[in-house]
Amino acid sequence: MRNLQIEALFGGVLALVVLGVAIYAIANTSFGGPDNGGGSEPTTVAISGDPVVLTASSGQDLICECYDSGFDLAGKVKVISPEYRTGFEQCRARGGIDGGDAWTAGWNARLSAKPYEASCRAYKRRS
């Protein structure tokens, strides 16, 4: 009978410890999105660099425009940058799957071992 009392005592202490950890975790968790210091103003994110805007070039088709834009941007920013995503989405919206593929091919060509061999004309021959 004494063993049951000791087990109940340790079980109760263990339950209180688990409950305390759970309360601590809930108290330190933010459920309403990012914490901006308790103020009412929203958090702003600054994006560096110039925005990527694709415009129609005279005498150049959209596939080459996307390819060349991706190629040029690959030397300036990383693939996780907002500029990469914006350029890809613009090419995909204007040129469909082929426009998005051309953007990605241009990007990858710049990062390849032989970027001097890469060109839109060579890309079109392979496609």
Side-chain angles (χ1 to χ4, degrees), residues 15-38:
L16 287 175
V17 168
V18 170
L19 182 63
V21 169
I23 290 172
Y24 177 78
I26 290 172
N28 290 323
T29 302
S30 172
F31 293 108
D35 184 19
N36 61 1

Side-chain angles (χ1 to χ4, degrees), residues 39-60:
S40 60
E41 295 181 21
T43 303
T44 58
V45 178
I47 298 174
S48 63
D50 297 326
V52 177
V53 178
L54 298 174
T55 58
S57 303
S58 60
Q60 188 178 28

